[in-house]
Each structure stands twice: as structure tokens, then as C-alpha cells.
Amino acid sequence: MLLSDYLEVSAEDLPMFDVDVPIDTKMVIDPTELIIREPKYFPTVSAANRLYDFFNTLIELYNDRKFPEISAILNGVHEINDTYLGESSISNHAQGKGPDLGSLRDYIGNIVNMVGYVGGRPNVDAKALFVIFSLCTPNFGKDGFSDLLTNILYCDFSKYTHNVLNALGKENLFHENIDEGPVQHQYWNIDTHMWEDFVGCAVINRYPTIFVPKEAVQHTYTYTALKFIMAIPVVAEQNRNQGHITKKDAYKRIKDANPGLSVKQLAFNIIRENPNNLVDYLNRILV
């Protein structure tokens, strides 16, 4: 059932994305939009600080060679179905794949190197960290990132859900007692730098549900590997040809010179070979 139908509010008047509980909608949560757009009722500052602390904790642990601690953190991430956003598009969420954290773990070293190279050019904030993680993990899919973000920010989405229900006069739908429908999840605690148990969500049509601001729900992320390639390597290829080729032709030349690579793998290879490309891209988008 659509949230708008259950809450008896038009989809246009809902601040959150109108999901069809309990069926997954094939969309992702983009944290950069959460930070940039500052949606009403959403604790943007808290969420940005939480994202930064999670990624920065992994980086610090890697620099200290505390690899078991990194594995323990990543092993604490689980598929959470309460947003009803993702790739499974099924009502039986048990069939969902969940995030492939092994691929993320494998690329932590490259991420650390890129963050170190970027340094203060520009300042690496929460938005920059997410873009770096996204571009430097070629085998970690967009659905995996969406699952990871739901884990990290569960308490922020829960607070947003509570705020929205209060604004709609439906606060009775929010529950913090497991006996009333919610299940126990975790969120990232920025004080302890580890996972902490948490209970609190709406119960919609008997299903535990947390809302996501519609501004942050998209078909793909704002800053994708393709956008990086079109913004930096493709423009460089055009400049080498004094502007006599189109972006489409420049992109084809780059792809033809790197057969068999996915767009994410190609972007990662370009960044690894010349990290200045990443610096240039971050300076362009972090305005």
C-alpha cells in the first residue's frame, strides 16, 4: 500500500518518498542530496556528521593497521528493508542480496590513499568522502551503498519519520517498542565510533517502516562514475584534440582504449593512474 493511501495524504503533499509498502521501489538513497538539499524535518547536520565519522573511522583504523576492527565494523552491516527502496522489487525481502561488503573491504586501502592525496585540496567533508568511496569501489554496487547508508543513518531516518508523523498528526503510528511492530536495528554512534542497537520506526500496514525525504531518492547517484568521466577525462581528450571532437566521440575513444571495463572500473583506473583527476573533479563539484 502506498504511504499516501495509508496516511490519506496526497503524494504531492508528502515530504517523504511515496513507497509502496512492502514492495521495494527500484530507487537509491543519495546522501549528497540529503546534505545539499537539507530536507524539511530531516536532521541534516546530525546525518552529515554521522556519515563523515563512519567513513573517517574506517580510514583511521586502516592507517593504524587495525584490519580486524575494520572487518568487525563492516560485518555489522545488514540489509534493512524498512525503507522499501532497492533493487529486489519483491514483497518477500528474504530474497534480497544485501550489500557486498567484501568488495568494499578490498578497496579500503585505495580509498585511504586517495583521501591522503586529496588532502586539503579541497577539504574532505562528508560529501567528498562519499564521492571518493563511491568512485574508488568499482565492484560495490549502488544498491549496496544504499543499504550501507540506511544502516549508518537509521536513527536519523527514524527521527525524520517521527517528525513527519507528528507534522501530519499521525504520531500514533510511530513505535519504539518491539512488541508493537518494530524490529531492532543498529545505527552508527559518533561518540563510540561503533554500532549501537536502536528501535524506533513507523508501523505501516503492519510493516516496520522508516521514511526517506523525496529529495534524496533517485534512480542513481548524483555523482556517478560516468559523470566523473564526462567531466574530467572526456574534457581532457577534447582539449588534446583542440575541441575538434564531440564529447560522445571523446568518450568512445576512452572506452575503446580500455575494452572490457565497466564504467566504474574505468573511472577507478583513471583516478588510480592520475589522482589529480579526482582532485579536479572534487574541486568542480564541491561548491
Side-chain angles (χ1 to χ4, degrees), residues 117-180:
Y117 186 88
V118 171
R121 311 166 297 155
N123 179 48
V124 180
D125 58 8
K127 177 181 170 184
L129 272 179
F130 177 77
V131 173
I132 292 171
F133 266 72
S134 180
L135 290 176
C136 294
T137 52
N139 296 324
F140 194 58
K142 64 181 182 180
D143 205 36
F145 265 117
S146 204
D147 283 332
L148 176 61
L149 293 166
T150 305
N151 279 261
I152 297 170
L153 301 179
Y154 193 91
C155 68
D156 298 298
F157 288 125
S158 173
K159 183 175 183 179
Y160 172 74
T161 302
H162 200 182
N163 290 342
V164 169
L165 288 174
N166 282 338
L168 295 176
K170 307 278 187 178
E171 58 271 14
N172 61 303
L173 297 177
F174 190 87
H175 298 281
E176 298 175 279
N177 189 324
I178 290 179
D179 295 335
E180 297 173 340

Side-chain angles (χ1 to χ4, degrees), residues 64-112:
D64 292 338
R65 295 296 187 261
K66 294 182 177 180
F67 304 124
E69 286 84 349
I70 292 175
S71 292
I73 288 173
L74 295 180
N75 288 338
V77 178
H78 303 288
E79 183 180 21
I80 296 177
N81 302 313
D82 299 6
T83 63
Y84 305 102
L85 298 168
E87 292 295 314
S88 59
S89 193
I90 52 176
S91 57
N92 181 5
H93 292 283
Q95 299 178 39
K97 293 181 179 179
D100 177 15
L101 296 164
S103 61
L104 178 58
R105 185 184 297 109
D106 293 341
Y107 285 98
I108 291 292
N110 292 302
I111 293 165
V112 171

Side-chain angles (χ1 to χ4, degrees), residues 246-267:
T246 65
K247 281 194 170 186
K248 180 179 179 180
D249 289 336
Y251 176 71
K252 185 176 185 304
R253 286 190 184 186
I254 294 171
K255 284 288 288 180
D256 289 347
N258 298 272
L261 295 182
S262 68
V263 174
K264 284 200 72 173
Q265 185 66 57
L266 176 57

